[in-house]
Amino acid sequence: MKKILFINPIHTDIFNHEFKKMLNNSKLQDTSVDVVSLENGKGPCHLQYHSYEAMVMPKIIQRVREAEEENYDAVIIGCFYDTALRASREISRKMVVAAPAESSLHIASTLGETISIIVSEKKCIPEMRENVRKYGFGERVVSFKSVDLKVHEFQKDLQETKRRILQASKEAIEKDGADIIVLGCTAEFGTYDEIQQELGIPVIDSGLAAFKYAEFLIEIKDKMNWTHSKLIGYQSPPEEEVQSFGILMQK
Amino acid sequence: MKKILFINPIHTDIFNHEFKKMLNNSKLQDTSVDVVSLENGKGPCHLQYHSYEAMVMPKIIQRVREAEEENYDAVIIGCFYDTALRASREISRKMVVAAPAESSLHIASTLGETISIIVSEKKCIPEMRENVRKYGFGERVVSFKSVDLKVHEFQKDLQETKRRILQASKEAIEKDGADIIVLGCTAEFGTYDEIQQELGIPVIDSGLAAFKYAEFLIEIKDKMNWTHSKLIGYQSPPEEEVQSFGILMQK
Amino acid sequence: MKKILFINPIHTDIFNHEFKKMLNNSKLQDTSVDVVSLENGKGPCHLQYHSYEAMVMPKIIQRVREAEEENYDAVIIGCFYDTALRASREISRKMVVAAPAESSLHIASTLGETISIIVSEKKCIPEMRENVRKYGFGERVVSFKSVDLKVHEFQKDLQETKRRILQASKEAIEKDGADIIVLGCTAEFGTYDEIQQELGIPVIDSGLAAFKYAEFLIEIKDKMNWTHSKLIGYQSPPEEEVQSFGILMQK
Amino acid sequence: MKKILFINPIHTDIFNHEFKKMLNNSKLQDTSVDVVSLENGKGPCHLQYHSYEAMVMPKIIQRVREAEEENYDAVIIGCFYDTALRASREISRKMVVAAPAESSLHIASTLGETISIIVSEKKCIPEMRENVRKYGFGERVVSFKSVDLKVHEFQKDLQETKRRILQASKEAIEKDGADIIVLGCTAEFGTYDEIQQELGIPVIDSGLAAFKYAEFLIEIKDKMNWTHSKLIGYQSPPEEEVQSFGILMQK
Amino acid sequence: MKKILFINPIHTDIFNHEFKKMLNNSKLQDTSVDVVSLENGKGPCHLQYHSYEAMVMPKIIQRVREAEEENYDAVIIGCFYDTALRASREISRKMVVAAPAESSLHIASTLGETISIIVSEKKCIPEMRENVRKYGFGERVVSFKSVDLKVHEFQKDLQETKRRILQASKEAIEKDGADIIVLGCTAEFGTYDEIQQELGIPVIDSGLAAFKYAEFLIEIKDKMNWTHSKLIGYQSPPEEEVQSFGILMQK
Amino acid sequence: MKKILFINPIHTDIFNHEFKKMLNNSKLQDTSVDVVSLENGKGPCHLQYHSYEAMVMPKIIQRVREAEEENYDAVIIGCFYDTALRASREISRKMVVAAPAESSLHIASTLGETISIIVSEKKCIPEMRENVRKYGFGERVVSFKSVDLKVHEFQKDLQETKRRILQASKEAIEKDGADIIVLGCTAEFGTYDEIQQELGIPVIDSGLAAFKYAEFLIEIKDKMNWTHSKLIGYQSPPEEEVQSFGILMQK
């Protein structure tokens, strides 16, 4: 049994239902998945801006921590910035943590050789490029393509969204030499399949990628006990300090 | 059902039985795995030397091609040099192909941050270092440690083998700042578990890593149709040419 | 007049008084500086752990935003992880933002050629190394040296602290070929001067470095109107959205 | 008091008057600046060619050395190739030395994220690209744009010069994703301000950048005694040898 | 006397005669050169696909080994993928081994600064780009240009071939900033001279480059005894093992 | 006929006689070589310091220019800093120019895989490391080893010199994994052969390397007309300007 929590780290649950349906369609038999967003109340409904990412970080940490107490085997942080990934792995003691950019890029660089990432707006590129390089894929990612749609516009007119992603992908193939496409925002969900058929090359939906990668991480933890190294960067803080600093109460 | 062929690309079957046992212990329920080595007759019994790798390449290609005809979903090339990985992905039309170095390094760089690779002899390092950089992990792999054992010595005295790997790993942790260990030869099998417990950090057996990664690649192919991009580098040769060049007859 | 706010992004004010004294000793004539930590109440007293960094991020963003309303010309985020630097530059509309690692490394790579960073514990290294590479100094920083002191131990026994930093620095010079030292934690304050005299090479206190760099950034903004580019990565979020998401009310 | 010498390392003084005016408009209150070019007599009037750079190097070294005797606190080598920068820092015993490319790039990478450099002719690019990489900014500088004007043409028709720089900058923003512009020749002076207003992003005049950075280096030397490390690369030659080799007499 | 064997590692001898003529026209006086292809019988007639490369590897190794027994001083592996270069250097005990990509890139990076490689089809680029980076020229090679001609089409209509290479080269110069061209397939022979005259910059024929570099390697071996280091990566396999594995019998 | 001028870019001729003997022992039959140093009169007798390099640059340029008028086919700049290499290639219209570091590193990276450079003093390392990276060999050069001998001490006690180089080389092999040694100062001449025999791996004398590489460059110029690209970085300055700037008269 693989119990997974997919966190949409935003203050709206409008994507959760569709996400859950999508993930359930793609899961291993013994996987159960829940999709949550951050608790209601005011807060960012998307993370396009880095100050919005900053605002939701404590809530991510607390939700990750709660997930561990609720016996989840894995959590997924559902944003292509991989917001608070290192901190989430650190606060987890037993759970594994996956995130869209990291998972998609590992998959894409096994399946293809030159990757193009289709993003919502130019604004996203600098931080994403830093992540790409940090993960080791700086030479493989040959371009970022903006489709000039805000995060909440992707699902408004899905045909237009697909049209723009398709066009950007074709440019990436012809001008940048890409042989695989990564959708650089989890809100681009519901589009990869049709575009993939049209292009004839893999188109990686990053939310799905993170979900399947989370299953994989649980599997290798269960079978071989391979999990996040707790020696240096992912070493968890001392429990007493966590308590005394009130990490878990701040909501 | 995930049907996997693990190819020990050497002219001896002495490891096959133990390998199969190990893989069966770690498989998903619906996986079936076969372990084969290259057909009997003269040929390299290990691939420490690059001229040996060269000698077995056609046999790998042919065995991969046959595997596709035998309806395998994935093949694994069981050598940490990832011998003929690109060519095997090219010759495959539907199957996915995994290999130990690529799989271990993707896993290790998700689970830890600074990797040390424990190799049999110094001789292996230059080609492996090239692969490490090619895959994008040049900054994460902080050291290669030789235990000065030939490929066929690893299984001779397993206690001594473990002792040497443990010592090399401890040095990697203390001097090189490693927080995760990769065993850089598939013949180091049967050792990771005990060393992992002793060190308290993940120790990645590269044969197992490739096997689990192969299952994962099959899974994402089955569910999302994400498979090797056939657009550029992995584009298969034209079937008529394959026939006329006698690729499949040369044994 | 250069009005600067130095934020110790932690829930304790024990360093503030000494910091203010140190900064006032080194300031330009027309600079006025305030040193604040995060509001009282529970919260991390140091940021050694990345989950602690995550916890204080919203407070940093809000404090930066308030600083702008209070007409500061610059803020400094007083932690060598440069916590929330990108987000702080984004949320600022007119102010400039400086941070210890970025400032120290720019200075050090102008004054010397091979840098060693003296850190409190090994734990810090992975995230700092990522920052070092991100800023472009991956080839110049030749080593990180841990002195095995927790953040709050640095000021406990200043003689012992200096002894350890001196020893680590000497090793960095002899074994790693460093010709300049950066103190990789703002809590190492009060030590650079004596060690610098002893070693005969520059020893960069990172809090001071950020302070002087902030003055410099204000100066070039005042004279040439050179300030953070608001075109892509540092583009500020729309004001209405900031309001509706309650960014400024969450405390 | 910050006493600065700006050396136009060319055999013509035609820029000196305007430069001095520009620098005086942007200086700190306690700064005094002199602008000199190389002594009259025959010699290169611009350094577009690397053989011209070679020809003026001894004169730069001697002028730097004299500046130290004349009690300057800093010298600036006023060419975007940063001609003889390492040697000038070496020959200086107490002064700090700044140069346009190094200073502009440090500033630009603090204020923006993706830099485009506007150069006079393609000829300049190879050496400048080497410097960019050497300083650590190879990943941040996304393009060099030539405006096809020789060094002495920039000031001939300032409107045309601005027109070309503006056009090249717009291309850099749209096609190359730049969010900050660096003017890659000190002779482009007098243009940054208007272009900056037009583009709405920082446009760094490299001569001014070096001047302000020189003030900053003096400031941190005065306050913290942070100056060029004399341990390895910038170690000064022995005085007797300097004398016996006639370094100071060759004019 | 420099005795060189140029191996066209393909199962057709149609290029051999013209190659020999070309090499003889460019040789040192005391050089003698033979051009061979792989023995007749079925097998790849070109190596565009990596599975074809894999198929011919044992034959390359064996031919290299035989060449040593026939007292050649050097062999050249005549394919721009530098197929089996490492293995060939390993199996050779005294001979030196050269290959087109490595030789051309060393020459080109001494003669020019920014290289463009003109390839037959896009298919070739991924493996070639890996080699370029492996050899250290990742920053110098600014583009790959495909002329969309299959290997055996280059010599069919030499005027059309030249026209396409010329056009691709002009694009490389204008758009990519190249100042030197490398012909990225040995089958582009017979074209460099005319294109070079037309463009006014060096155009490196990679087969010729490998030939001249082989002469050079023989020369420095003869005079200074500088030859492939046999310490680590190029260490030859033990002779008994070579025999017992039947390396030399497999044909 | 290959007419080569080897310039010892220093103001002493004490090495010239021995150099000429060494080069004549290693030359091609049709090569004639002259060895000169800079004209008498005061000036640096070695280039350990970068200000010394700066002082001799105009003399190098003028000597290179004269060499062309004297119909030399190639000049070599005999210093491992490759002083003024770019400028010398620029000022030459027909001659080729070689230099010790560039030549040795190209040779070493063809013959071995991991290079260690044995230098006179630590002082040399920063500039040499910059050159190593500039040439593309940053990943292949695994260490610099100082033998703590000044340039003019190498030839004083040749036995002691060899002893130190041998010891440094052994360390490079054992600790740094080097499989090839480069002697990082032309004044280490007369030592490579014995050390090479002792170590059993190639030891590259950099002066000899430059000489043989110069012959090679002449050869490929004569036969294929491959010579320095004059399009961008090595484009020569206009002759009238050279005259009017008095480049050739300044001595």
Side-chain angles (χ1 to χ4, degrees), chain B residues 218-246:
Chain B
I218 297 170
E219 173 67 16
I220 60 177
K221 177 165 185 296
D222 282 358
K223 295 284 167 51
M224 273 84 68
N225 207 19
W226 294 341
T227 184
H228 302 305
S229 176
K230 288 294 181 178
L231 189 63
I232 310 178
Y234 300 143
Q235 183 194 341
S236 298
E239 194 55 31
E240 327 80 80
E241 211 172 61
V242 169
Q243 299 294 343
S244 79
F245 286 173

Side-chain angles (χ1 to χ4, degrees), chain A residues 88-105:
Chain A
S88 298
R89 285 179 176 162
E90 186 195 86
I91 200 69
S92 303
R93 283 166 213 277
K94 297 164 307 178
M95 277 190 320
V96 288
V97 185
E102 192 195 55
S103 299
S104 317
L105 290 166

Side-chain angles (χ1 to χ4, degrees), chain C residues 116-170:
Chain C
S116 185
I117 301 179
I118 312 298
V119 301
S120 70
E121 296 183 291
K122 279 190 181 177
K123 165 72 187 174
C124 317
I125 297 175
E127 188 168 278
M128 288 182 185
R129 194 170 35 213
E130 279 177 14
N131 285 338
V132 162
R133 286 174 184 157
K134 190 170 74 180
Y135 297 147
F137 304 114
E139 294 192 330
R140 289 185 174 255
V141 172
V142 291
S143 62
F144 288 87
K145 296 288 185 193
S146 163
V147 294
D148 268 321
L149 286 171
K150 291 187 185 309
V151 173
H152 284 277
E153 291 173 334
F154 281 120
Q155 297 295 320
K156 290 257 162 78
D157 177 349
L158 215 52
Q159 282 320 106
E160 174 63 9
T161 297
K162 285 178 197 167
R163 203 191 55 72
R164 292 196 186 193
I165 295 175
L166 188 64
Q167 187 189 334
S169 301
K170 283 180 176 171

